[in-house]
Amino acid sequence: MMAGRRLFRSFLLRIHRFCLHTYPSWFRAAHGGAMIGTFEDLVTVTYERTGTFGVIRVAIAEFGSLLFRGMRERFSRPSPPPDHQPLSNGRRQHEINFRERNRMYTTNNFRYAFRSLVRTPGYTAAFVLTLGLGIGANTAIFSVINGVLLRPLPYPDADRIMYLEQVAAAGGTTNTSLSFVEVADYRTEATTLEEVVEFGDWTFNVLGRGEPHLTIAGLVTANFFQVLGLRPHLGRTLTEEDDSRASEPVAVLTYEYWVRMFGADSSVIGQTLDLTVKKATIVGVLEPGSHYASMRAQPVRSVLARGGASGQDFYANYPSNDHYMSASMQDERAHRMTSVFAKLRSGVTVEAARAEVDGIAANLHASYPESYPEGRGYEIVITPWRDLITQQARPMLLILFGTALFVLVIACANVANLTLTRLIRQERELAIRAALGAGLARIRGQLMAENLALSLAGATLGLVLAVTGLDLLVSYASRFTARTGEIGIDLFVLAFTLIIAVGAAMLFAWAPRLPFSQDLGASLTAAGGGRATGGVNRRRAQRALVVSQLAISFVLLVGAGLMTRSLIKLNRVDPGFDLENVMSMDMPDFSGQSQPQRFEFSRTLVGRVKQFPQVDAASMASGAPLQGRFVTPRAFGVEGRELLPNPPTPPTLLKFAGPDYFRTVGTTLLAGRTFESRDHAEAPRVAIINESMAKFYFPDRDPVGRRMATVRFNGALGPWATIVGVVADTKEAGLDREPVHTYFQALEQNFAQTTLLVRTKGDPLPVAGQVLEEVRALDPNRPVLDVQTLEQRRAASVAPQRLNATLFTVFAALALVIATVGIAGVLSFSVSQRTNEFGIRMTLGADQTKVLKMVLLEGATLAAVALGIGGAGALLLSRFLSGLLFEIQPTDPVTFFGVAALLTLVTIAASLAPARNATSVDPMKALRAE
Amino acid sequence: MIQETPDPQSFLPLTNLSFHTLVALAEEDRHGYAIIKDIEDRTDRQLSVRSGALYTVIQRLLEVGLVGNAPAPAPVPDGGPTSDQRRKYYRITKLGRQVAALEGARLARMVDAAHQRRLLPEREVR
C-alpha cells in the first residue's frame, strides 16, 4: 500500500517535471525548484484529505495549468526579462496583466506555421486524423472515468457517507440487509456514526396520473434528506414525526419525476399520490439532483421499461408501505430487509467506525444467538458509498482506459514518424533559413507552433468524436454502475484533452531532434549539401516507432481476440432451456386482491392463451428464465434425516411454476412427473428439484416420493412437500455461472405469480398483442411489461460481454489501421530515399524480384521483431483480462497465433505498394539524378 | 541615470490573482504552497489556485518590484508537510503594500456602489 503510494507519487512528480518543460528555460531556472516543492506539498495534503482519486483530480488540474501557462510564457517571452531595467509607468501595468508584450512574436510564429501547413495538406490531414482518433478514444473514456470514478458524489461531505451491509460470509450471502431492530441498536450505540439512515428500495404502481405506471421509490427515514443534503424545491422534506409507525403516508417527489409526471405543477403539495394499496400525501418536491440510493444499474431498470429516467421517482416514509409495516418486519431481529446508510461523525476515520461497529455486532451476537447462527459468519461491512456504487465498473473502465492509452501511444508514434519524415524533407529549407540568421530558438519556436496548431486541431477533432460516442459509452457504463448521471465533457475533461494535446506537441517537437543527436543547427548546416542525409540514427528511430506500433497492436488484438472468443463460447453454452419460439411478459399485480382471486385470473388467462391456434403451451411462473434473481443461500431439511445444527446453505433458486411450465420453457424431465392441475391449494404439497439439488441432498437414493422442507429464518422447518420429479439443470443464474440448486414449488399451493410464458409454433412476438387484449379484458388496471422472447433475454444476458468485446475490437481495429498506415508510410519513405541505391543495383544486374524481396524483407523483419515484443507484452498483460473471460485462458494459443498470422499478413500487404514502387525505378533516371 | 519613481496608481487594476497574492503576503512571508492555501482558505475554496498560474504571477510581481524574495525562516518543529531548501519565500515590498491598498480601496468603492443601488443588502456607506 505504502510502496504503491510512493511509486504513484514519484510517477506524478515525473509528469510534473515533464510539464515544467513547457516553460522557457530562464523561467524554470528561476522557479522550477520552488514549483516542484509546491506540487509536492499539494500532493501530500490532498492525499491526507481525499485519497488517491482526489490527488488524480488535483494533479490533472495542475498539469493542465502548467502546460497552458508554460506555453503562454514561452510564446510571449522566450528570453528572460532584462534585470534592473526601469520600466515606464505605462508599461508596468501591461507587465502584470500579460498583455501586448511580444504578441507579435507569437502571432508571427503561428502565421508562419499555418502557411507552411496549408502547403502540405496530406501531412496536415494525416497528423490531425491520427491524433484526433487517439485523443477521441481517450477523451471519451476519460469523461466516463471522470463522471463515475473521479468526481466526488454530488452531496455535501460525500466522503463521510457510508453504506452498511450485513454479510453472512460463511452462508455465501454478500448482503442480507439489516432488520429495523438491528438498525435501532446501531443507531443508539454507535458514537462514530452521526446519523443512521434506513433505506428501502421499492417499486410502486402509481394510479390516477395518466396510465398506471411503475415507479422506483425509496422508503426512507427523515434523516435521509439531511445526510444527503437534499433540500426541498417546494414544500418540505420528511420530519421525525413522519418516521413513527402511527404517522400517515407522505411522499417527497424528486424534481425530475415532478417535471415528468406533474408538468412542474406547483399545486401538487397536499395532493395525494395513489400507490394502489395506500395513498400518500405529497408534502414536498426536491431540488434537481442525481439519485443513486437504490444503486440499481440498468439491467434491473430496463425491466421497468421506463426509458431515460434515472434514479428514484420519489421518496416516502415507511408507513407508505404495508410490507415494511408488518409486525414481523417491525419486531423480528432476523427479518432483515432494509438497507442502511450512515454518516460518519466529522473527523472520524472509516477504520474507527469499523472497529466500533464490530464491537457492537459482537455484543449483539452474544445477546441474541438465535438470530445469528454460528458458522454463518454474520458481520457488518462498512464501505464508503462512492466505492460501493462504482466498484463493479472500476476494473472494466480502467482496462478500457489502458486500452485507449495504447491507441494513443500508437497514434503518437505514427505522428512522430510523420513529423520526422517531414523534417527530413524540410531540411534544406530550414538550413537555408538558419544560414540567413533565423536562429535556432526561432526555428524551434516555429516547429513548436506548427506542432501545437496541429495537436490542438487533433484535440478538437478528438473532442467531436468523444461527444459523438458519449451516449454509447453512457449506456455501456450504465450496465455496471448506477452512477452515470454526471458523465459529460466538463472543464476537467477539457483539461485532460489539453494535456494530451500539448504533451503530444512537445513530444513531436523533440522527435525531430532525435536524428540530430545534439545540435539542430549543426545538422541543418550539414544538410545544406543538397539531398537529405538520412542518417542511420534517424532510420533506426523510425523503425523503432513502427515496431512499437505493431507490438502494441498485437497486445490490443490479443485482448480483442480473447474477448471475442469468450463471447463465442458463451453463446454456445446450453442453457438447459429450449429458447426458440418462447416469449415472456410480466404483469405485476398491485390490486390488493385475495390469493384465490389472483389464481382465478392466472388460470383464466393461461386457459384463454392456450386456445390461440399459434400457441403450443403456456404457463405462469415466478420470473422468466435467465433473469437470475431470487438466488439465495438456503438450507433444506429432508424427512427422516436429522437436521445438522449449522446446515450448509448452498445458493438456491426458489421458483414457483404452474402446470406445463417445463414443457413451455423446454426443460427436460429426468425422473417422476411435472406439475399438473391436480396440484392445487387443497392437494398435498409437491415440489420438483433439479439434478444438482437431487445429487446434493440424495446422493445415493431416488428423491422422487421423499419429502423436503426449507429451513426458515427462525430455524424452523416448513412447509413440507413431496418431491414428485427431477428436472435437468439450467443456467438460470447466468450463462457464465455454474447451475445453482433449484427448488420448484407448485404455483397454486403458494402465491399467485405474474410472469406469463408462452411457447408458440412460429415467431412468438406477433402473438403478444392478442395476449395483451386478453389481459386488458380481464383487468384493465394491470400494467404489462417487459415483453421479450427468451432469445432476446439470452442476448441481453451476455450484453456486457458483447459490449466489452465490441469496444475492444473497435480499439484494436483502430490501432491496426493506424499501425498499417505507419508501416506503409515508413517503407515508402525508405524506398523513396533509396531510389538511387535501387537504380544502381538494377543497373548492376539485380532483377525486379530481387528488389521486391529486399523491400518485403525489410517489412517482414520489422514484423518479426514486433511479433516477438508484442507477444511477450500480451503474455504479461492478458492476465488482467482473466476476470472478463469465459472458458478461455488468457494465454490461449489459438488467439495468439491467429493474431500473429493476421499481423504478418497486414505487414506484407502494407509493404506491397512500396515494394512495387521500388521495382519500377528507372535505372537511368536514378543515375542521372545522381 | 535618473531613477523614475514608480507611481503605485499606474499598476491598477490588478488581476484577481495578483491582488490575492499580495493580500496573502501582507500578513507574513510565505512560500508558494502557503500562498495557495491562504487564498483558498480566505475564499472558502471558491477560488482554487493552480501553481502554474501562481508562479507566472509571482514572476511578474518580482519583475515590477511589488514582491521580493525573503530569507527562509528558521525551521519550525511542526511546520508544513515538507521543508526543504528548495522552498522559496516571498515578501511584499513597500510599493507592493501601497498598490494592494489602492486596489483594495478601488474594489471597496465598487462594492459600495452596489450597496447604494440596492444590489446588495443595505448597510451604512462609509
CSV table of all heavy atoms in Angstrom, one decimal, chain A residues 624-668:
chain,number,residue,atom,x,y,z
A,624,ALA,N,-39.0,-15.0,-15.5
A,624,ALA,CA,-38.6,-15.7,-16.7
A,624,ALA,C,-37.3,-16.3,-16.5
A,624,ALA,O,-36.5,-15.9,-15.7
A,624,ALA,CB,-38.6,-14.7,-17.9
A,625,PRO,N,-37.0,-17.4,-17.4
A,625,PRO,CA,-35.6,-17.9,-17.3
A,625,PRO,C,-34.6,-16.9,-17.6
A,625,PRO,O,-34.8,-15.9,-18.2
A,625,PRO,CB,-35.6,-19.0,-18.4
A,625,PRO,CG,-37.1,-19.3,-18.6
A,625,PRO,CD,-37.8,-18.1,-18.3
A,626,LEU,N,-33.4,-17.1,-17.0
A,626,LEU,CA,-32.2,-16.3,-17.3
A,626,LEU,C,-32.3,-14.9,-16.6
A,626,LEU,O,-31.5,-14.0,-16.9
A,626,LEU,CB,-31.9,-16.1,-18.8
A,626,LEU,CG,-31.6,-17.4,-19.5
A,626,LEU,CD1,-31.5,-17.0,-21.0
A,626,LEU,CD2,-30.4,-18.0,-19.0
A,627,GLN,N,-33.3,-14.7,-15.7
A,627,GLN,CA,-33.3,-13.5,-15.0
A,627,GLN,C,-32.3,-13.4,-13.9
A,627,GLN,O,-31.9,-12.4,-13.5
A,627,GLN,CB,-34.8,-13.2,-14.5
A,627,GLN,CG,-35.5,-12.2,-15.3
A,627,GLN,CD,-36.9,-12.0,-14.8
A,627,GLN,OE1,-37.4,-12.8,-14.0
A,627,GLN,NE2,-37.5,-11.0,-15.3
A,628,GLY,N,-32.1,-14.6,-13.4
A,628,GLY,CA,-31.0,-14.8,-12.3
A,628,GLY,C,-31.3,-14.1,-11.0
A,628,GLY,O,-30.5,-13.8,-10.3
A,629,ARG,N,-32.6,-13.9,-10.8
A,629,ARG,CA,-32.9,-13.2,-9.5
A,629,ARG,C,-33.4,-14.3,-8.5
A,629,ARG,O,-33.6,-15.4,-8.8
A,629,ARG,CB,-34.0,-12.2,-9.7
A,629,ARG,CG,-33.5,-11.0,-10.4
A,629,ARG,CD,-34.5,-9.9,-10.4
A,629,ARG,NE,-35.6,-10.1,-11.2
A,629,ARG,CZ,-36.8,-9.5,-11.1
A,629,ARG,NH1,-36.9,-8.5,-10.2
A,629,ARG,NH2,-37.8,-9.7,-11.9
A,630,PHE,N,-33.5,-13.9,-7.3
A,630,PHE,CA,-34.0,-14.8,-6.2
A,630,PHE,C,-33.1,-15.9,-5.9
A,630,PHE,O,-33.6,-17.0,-5.4
A,630,PHE,CB,-35.5,-15.2,-6.5
A,630,PHE,CG,-36.4,-14.1,-6.9
A,630,PHE,CD1,-37.0,-14.1,-8.2
A,630,PHE,CD2,-36.6,-13.1,-6.1
A,630,PHE,CE1,-37.8,-13.1,-8.6
A,630,PHE,CE2,-37.4,-12.0,-6.5
A,630,PHE,CZ,-38.0,-12.1,-7.7
A,631,VAL,N,-31.9,-15.9,-6.2
A,631,VAL,CA,-31.0,-16.9,-5.8
A,631,VAL,C,-30.5,-16.5,-4.4
A,631,VAL,O,-29.8,-15.5,-4.2
A,631,VAL,CB,-29.8,-17.1,-6.7
A,631,VAL,CG1,-28.8,-18.1,-6.2
A,631,VAL,CG2,-30.3,-17.4,-8.1
A,632,THR,N,-30.7,-17.3,-3.4
A,632,THR,CA,-30.3,-17.0,-2.0
A,632,THR,C,-29.7,-18.3,-1.4
A,632,THR,O,-30.1,-19.4,-1.8
A,632,THR,CB,-31.4,-16.5,-1.1
A,632,THR,OG1,-32.5,-17.5,-1.2
A,632,THR,CG2,-31.9,-15.1,-1.5
A,633,PRO,N,-28.8,-18.1,-0.4
A,633,PRO,CA,-28.3,-19.2,0.3
A,633,PRO,C,-29.4,-19.8,1.1
A,633,PRO,O,-30.1,-19.1,1.8
A,633,PRO,CB,-27.2,-18.7,1.1
A,633,PRO,CG,-27.4,-17.3,1.2
A,633,PRO,CD,-28.2,-16.8,0.1
A,634,ARG,N,-29.6,-21.1,1.1
A,634,ARG,CA,-30.8,-21.7,1.8
A,634,ARG,C,-30.5,-23.1,2.2
A,634,ARG,O,-29.8,-23.9,1.5
A,634,ARG,CB,-31.9,-21.7,0.8
A,634,ARG,CG,-33.3,-21.6,1.5
A,634,ARG,CD,-34.3,-21.3,0.4
A,634,ARG,NE,-34.5,-19.9,0.2
A,634,ARG,CZ,-35.4,-19.2,1.0
A,634,ARG,NH1,-36.0,-19.7,2.0
A,634,ARG,NH2,-35.6,-17.9,0.7
A,635,ALA,N,-30.9,-23.4,3.4
A,635,ALA,CA,-30.8,-24.8,3.9
A,635,ALA,C,-32.1,-25.5,3.8
A,635,ALA,O,-33.2,-24.9,3.9
A,635,ALA,CB,-30.3,-24.8,5.4
A,636,PHE,N,-32.0,-26.8,3.5
A,636,PHE,CA,-33.2,-27.7,3.4
A,636,PHE,C,-33.1,-28.9,4.4
A,636,PHE,O,-32.0,-29.4,4.6
A,636,PHE,CB,-33.4,-28.2,2.0
A,636,PHE,CG,-33.9,-27.2,1.0
A,636,PHE,CD1,-33.1,-26.3,0.4
A,636,PHE,CD2,-35.3,-27.2,0.8
A,636,PHE,CE1,-33.6,-25.3,-0.4
A,636,PHE,CE2,-35.8,-26.3,-0.1
A,636,PHE,CZ,-35.0,-25.3,-0.7
A,637,GLY,N,-34.3,-29.3,4.9
A,637,GLY,CA,-34.3,-30.5,5.7
A,637,GLY,C,-34.9,-31.6,4.9
A,637,GLY,O,-35.8,-31.3,4.0
A,638,VAL,N,-34.5,-32.8,5.1
A,638,VAL,CA,-35.0,-34.0,4.4
A,638,VAL,C,-35.7,-34.9,5.4
A,638,VAL,O,-35.1,-35.1,6.5
A,638,VAL,CB,-33.9,-34.8,3.7
A,638,VAL,CG1,-34.4,-36.1,3.1
A,638,VAL,CG2,-33.3,-33.9,2.6
A,639,GLU,N,-36.9,-35.3,5.1
A,639,GLU,CA,-37.6,-36.1,6.1
A,639,GLU,C,-36.8,-37.4,6.4
A,639,GLU,O,-36.3,-38.0,5.5
A,639,GLU,CB,-39.0,-36.5,5.6
A,639,GLU,CG,-39.9,-37.0,6.6
A,639,GLU,CD,-41.3,-37.2,6.1
A,639,GLU,OE1,-41.4,-37.8,5.0
A,639,GLU,OE2,-42.3,-36.9,6.7
A,640,GLY,N,-36.8,-37.7,7.7
A,640,GLY,CA,-36.1,-38.9,8.1
A,640,GLY,C,-34.6,-38.7,8.3
A,640,GLY,O,-33.9,-39.7,8.5
A,641,ARG,N,-34.2,-37.5,8.1
A,641,ARG,CA,-32.8,-37.3,8.3
A,641,ARG,C,-32.6,-36.1,9.3
A,641,ARG,O,-33.3,-35.1,9.1
A,641,ARG,CB,-32.1,-36.9,7.0
A,641,ARG,CG,-30.6,-37.1,7.0
A,641,ARG,CD,-30.0,-36.7,5.7
A,641,ARG,NE,-30.4,-37.5,4.5
A,641,ARG,CZ,-30.3,-37.1,3.3
A,641,ARG,NH1,-29.8,-35.9,3.0
A,641,ARG,NH2,-30.7,-37.8,2.3
A,642,GLU,N,-31.8,-36.3,10.3
A,642,GLU,CA,-31.7,-35.2,11.3
A,642,GLU,C,-31.0,-34.0,10.7
A,642,GLU,O,-30.1,-34.1,10.0
A,642,GLU,CB,-30.9,-35.7,12.5
A,642,GLU,CG,-31.3,-35.0,13.8
A,642,GLU,CD,-30.5,-35.6,15.0
A,642,GLU,OE1,-30.4,-36.8,15.0
A,642,GLU,OE2,-30.1,-34.8,15.8
A,643,LEU,N,-31.6,-32.8,11.1
A,643,LEU,CA,-31.0,-31.5,10.6
A,643,LEU,C,-29.8,-31.2,11.4
A,643,LEU,O,-29.8,-31.2,12.6
A,643,LEU,CB,-32.1,-30.4,10.7
A,643,LEU,CG,-31.8,-29.1,10.0
A,643,LEU,CD1,-31.8,-29.3,8.5
A,643,LEU,CD2,-32.8,-28.1,10.4
A,644,LEU,N,-28.7,-30.9,10.7
A,644,LEU,CA,-27.5,-30.5,11.3
A,644,LEU,C,-27.7,-29.2,12.1
A,644,LEU,O,-28.5,-28.4,11.6
A,644,LEU,CB,-26.3,-30.4,10.3
A,644,LEU,CG,-26.0,-31.7,9.5
A,644,LEU,CD1,-25.1,-31.3,8.4
A,644,LEU,CD2,-25.3,-32.7,10.5
A,645,PRO,N,-26.9,-28.9,13.1
A,645,PRO,CA,-27.1,-27.7,13.8
A,645,PRO,C,-26.8,-26.5,12.9
A,645,PRO,O,-27.5,-25.4,13.0
A,645,PRO,CB,-26.1,-27.8,15.0
A,645,PRO,CG,-25.3,-29.0,14.8
A,645,PRO,CD,-26.0,-29.8,13.8
A,646,ASN,N,-25.8,-26.6,12.1
A,646,ASN,CA,-25.5,-25.5,11.2
A,646,ASN,C,-25.5,-26.0,9.8
A,646,ASN,O,-24.5,-26.3,9.2
A,646,ASN,CB,-24.1,-24.8,11.5
A,646,ASN,CG,-24.3,-23.8,12.5
A,646,ASN,OD1,-25.1,-23.0,12.5
A,646,ASN,ND2,-23.4,-23.9,13.5
A,647,PRO,N,-26.7,-26.2,9.2
A,647,PRO,CA,-26.8,-26.9,7.9
A,647,PRO,C,-26.1,-26.1,6.9
A,647,PRO,O,-26.1,-24.8,6.9
A,647,PRO,CB,-28.3,-27.0,7.7
A,647,PRO,CG,-28.9,-26.0,8.5
A,647,PRO,CD,-28.0,-25.8,9.7
A,648,PRO,N,-25.5,-26.7,5.8
A,648,PRO,CA,-24.9,-25.9,4.7
A,648,PRO,C,-26.0,-25.2,4.0
A,648,PRO,O,-27.2,-25.6,3.9
A,648,PRO,CB,-24.3,-27.0,3.8
A,648,PRO,CG,-25.0,-28.3,4.2
A,648,PRO,CD,-25.4,-28.2,5.6
A,649,THR,N,-25.7,-24.0,3.5
A,649,THR,CA,-26.7,-23.2,2.8
A,649,THR,C,-26.2,-22.9,1.4
A,649,THR,O,-25.7,-21.7,1.1
A,649,THR,CB,-26.9,-21.9,3.5
A,649,THR,OG1,-25.7,-21.2,3.7
A,649,THR,CG2,-27.6,-22.1,4.8
A,650,PRO,N,-26.2,-23.8,0.5
A,650,PRO,CA,-25.8,-23.5,-0.9
A,650,PRO,C,-26.7,-22.5,-1.6
A,650,PRO,O,-27.9,-22.5,-1.2
A,650,PRO,CB,-25.9,-24.9,-1.6
A,650,PRO,CG,-26.8,-25.7,-0.8
A,650,PRO,CD,-26.7,-25.2,0.6
A,651,PRO,N,-26.2,-21.7,-2.5
A,651,PRO,CA,-27.1,-20.8,-3.2
A,651,PRO,C,-28.2,-21.6,-3.9
A,651,PRO,O,-27.9,-22.5,-4.6
A,651,PRO,CB,-26.2,-20.1,-4.2
A,651,PRO,CG,-24.8,-20.6,-4.0
A,651,PRO,CD,-24.8,-21.7,-3.0
A,652,THR,N,-29.4,-21.2,-3.7
A,652,THR,CA,-30.5,-21.9,-4.2
A,652,THR,C,-31.6,-21.0,-4.8
A,652,THR,O,-31.8,-19.9,-4.2
A,652,THR,CB,-31.2,-22.7,-3.1
A,652,THR,OG1,-30.2,-23.5,-2.4
A,652,THR,CG2,-32.3,-23.7,-3.6
A,653,LEU,N,-32.1,-21.4,-5.9
A,653,LEU,CA,-33.1,-20.6,-6.5
A,653,LEU,C,-34.5,-21.2,-6.2
A,653,LEU,O,-34.7,-22.4,-6.4
A,653,LEU,CB,-32.9,-20.6,-8.1
A,653,LEU,CG,-34.0,-20.0,-8.9
A,653,LEU,CD1,-34.1,-18.5,-8.7
A,653,LEU,CD2,-33.8,-20.3,-10.4
A,654,LEU,N,-35.4,-20.4,-5.6
A,654,LEU,CA,-36.7,-20.8,-5.3
A,654,LEU,C,-37.6,-20.4,-6.4
A,654,LEU,O,-37.6,-19.2,-6.8
A,654,LEU,CB,-37.2,-20.2,-4.0
A,654,LEU,CG,-36.6,-20.7,-2.7
A,654,LEU,CD1,-37.5,-20.2,-1.5
A,654,LEU,CD2,-36.6,-22.2,-2.7
A,655,LYS,N,-38.4,-21.3,-7.0
A,655,LYS,CA,-39.2,-20.9,-8.1
A,655,LYS,C,-40.6,-21.5,-8.0
A,655,LYS,O,-40.7,-22.6,-7.5
A,655,LYS,CB,-38.5,-21.5,-9.4
A,655,LYS,CG,-38.8,-20.6,-10.6
A,655,LYS,CD,-37.7,-20.5,-11.6
A,655,LYS,CE,-38.3,-19.4,-12.6
A,655,LYS,NZ,-37.4,-19.2,-13.7
A,656,PHE,N,-41.6,-20.7,-8.4
A,656,PHE,CA,-42.9,-21.2,-8.4
A,656,PHE,C,-43.4,-21.3,-9.8
A,656,PHE,O,-43.2,-20.4,-10.6
A,656,PHE,CB,-43.8,-20.2,-7.7
A,656,PHE,CG,-43.4,-19.9,-6.3
A,656,PHE,CD1,-42.7,-18.7,-6.0
A,656,PHE,CD2,-43.6,-20.8,-5.3
A,656,PHE,CE1,-42.2,-18.5,-4.7
A,656,PHE,CE2,-43.2,-20.6,-4.0
A,656,PHE,CZ,-42.5,-19.4,-3.7
A,657,ALA,N,-43.9,-22.5,-10.1
A,657,ALA,CA,-44.3,-22.8,-11.5
A,657,ALA,C,-45.6,-23.4,-11.6
A,657,ALA,O,-46.0,-24.2,-10.8
A,657,ALA,CB,-43.2,-23.6,-12.2
A,658,GLY,N,-46.3,-23.1,-12.7
A,658,GLY,CA,-47.7,-23.7,-12.9
A,658,GLY,C,-47.5,-25.0,-13.7
A,658,GLY,O,-46.4,-25.3,-14.2
A,659,PRO,N,-48.7,-25.7,-14.0
A,659,PRO,CA,-48.6,-26.8,-14.8
A,659,PRO,C,-48.1,-26.4,-16.2
A,659,PRO,O,-48.3,-25.3,-16.6
A,659,PRO,CB,-50.1,-27.2,-14.9
A,659,PRO,CG,-50.8,-26.5,-13.8
A,659,PRO,CD,-50.0,-25.3,-13.5
A,660,ASP,N,-47.4,-27.3,-16.9
A,660,ASP,CA,-46.9,-27.0,-18.2
A,660,ASP,C,-45.7,-26.1,-18.3
A,660,ASP,O,-45.3,-25.8,-19.4
A,660,ASP,CB,-48.1,-26.4,-19.1
A,660,ASP,CG,-48.5,-27.3,-20.2
A,660,ASP,OD1,-48.1,-28.5,-20.1
A,660,ASP,OD2,-49.3,-26.9,-21.1
A,661,TYR,N,-45.2,-25.7,-17.1
A,661,TYR,CA,-44.1,-24.8,-17.1
A,661,TYR,C,-42.9,-25.4,-17.9
A,661,TYR,O,-42.2,-24.8,-18.7
A,661,TYR,CB,-43.7,-24.4,-15.7
A,661,TYR,CG,-42.3,-23.6,-15.6
A,661,TYR,CD1,-42.2,-22.3,-15.9
A,661,TYR,CD2,-41.2,-24.3,-15.3
A,661,TYR,CE1,-41.0,-21.6,-15.9
A,661,TYR,CE2,-39.9,-23.6,-15.2
A,661,TYR,CZ,-39.9,-22.3,-15.5
A,661,TYR,OH,-38.7,-21.7,-15.5
A,662,PHE,N,-42.6,-26.6,-17.5
A,662,PHE,CA,-41.4,-27.3,-18.1
A,662,PHE,C,-41.5,-27.5,-19.6
A,662,PHE,O,-40.5,-27.4,-20.3
A,662,PHE,CB,-41.0,-28.5,-17.3
A,662,PHE,CG,-40.7,-28.3,-15.9
A,662,PHE,CD1,-41.6,-28.5,-14.9
A,662,PHE,CD2,-39.5,-27.7,-15.5
A,662,PHE,CE1,-41.3,-28.2,-13.5
A,662,PHE,CE2,-39.2,-27.4,-14.2
A,662,PHE,CZ,-40.1,-27.7,-13.2
A,663,ARG,N,-42.7,-27.8,-20.0
A,663,ARG,CA,-42.9,-28.0,-21.4
A,663,ARG,C,-42.8,-26.6,-22.1
A,663,ARG,O,-42.2,-26.5,-23.2
A,663,ARG,CB,-44.3,-28.6,-21.7
A,663,ARG,CG,-44.4,-29.3,-23.1
A,663,ARG,CD,-45.6,-30.3,-23.0
A,663,ARG,NE,-46.9,-29.6,-23.1
A,663,ARG,CZ,-47.4,-29.1,-24.2
A,663,ARG,NH1,-46.8,-29.2,-25.4
A,663,ARG,NH2,-48.6,-28.5,-24.2
A,664,THR,N,-43.3,-25.6,-21.5
A,664,THR,CA,-43.2,-24.3,-22.1
A,664,THR,C,-41.8,-23.8,-22.3
A,664,THR,O,-41.4,-23.3,-23.4
A,664,THR,CB,-44.0,-23.2,-21.3
A,664,THR,OG1,-45.3,-23.8,-21.0
A,664,THR,CG2,-44.1,-21.9,-22.0
A,665,VAL,N,-41.0,-23.9,-21.3
A,665,VAL,CA,-39.6,-23.4,-21.4
A,665,VAL,C,-38.6,-24.5,-22.0
A,665,VAL,O,-37.5,-24.2,-22.2
A,665,VAL,CB,-39.0,-22.9,-20.1
A,665,VAL,CG1,-39.8,-21.7,-19.6
A,665,VAL,CG2,-39.0,-24.0,-19.0
A,666,GLY,N,-39.1,-25.7,-22.1
A,666,GLY,CA,-38.3,-26.8,-22.8
A,666,GLY,C,-37.2,-27.3,-21.9
A,666,GLY,O,-36.1,-27.5,-22.3
A,667,THR,N,-37.5,-27.5,-20.6
A,667,THR,CA,-36.5,-28.2,-19.7
A,667,THR,C,-36.9,-29.7,-19.6
A,667,THR,O,-38.0,-30.0,-19.4
A,667,THR,CB,-36.6,-27.5,-18.3
A,667,THR,OG1,-36.2,-26.1,-18.5
A,667,THR,CG2,-35.6,-28.2,-17.4
A,668,THR,N,-35.9,-30.5,-19.7
A,668,THR,CA,-36.1,-32.0,-19.7
A,668,THR,C,-36.4,-32.5,-18.3
A,668,THR,O,-35.8,-32.2,-17.4
A,668,THR,CB,-34.8,-32.7,-20.2
A,668,THR,OG1,-34.3,-31.9,-21.3
A,668,THR,CG2,-35.1,-34.1,-20.6
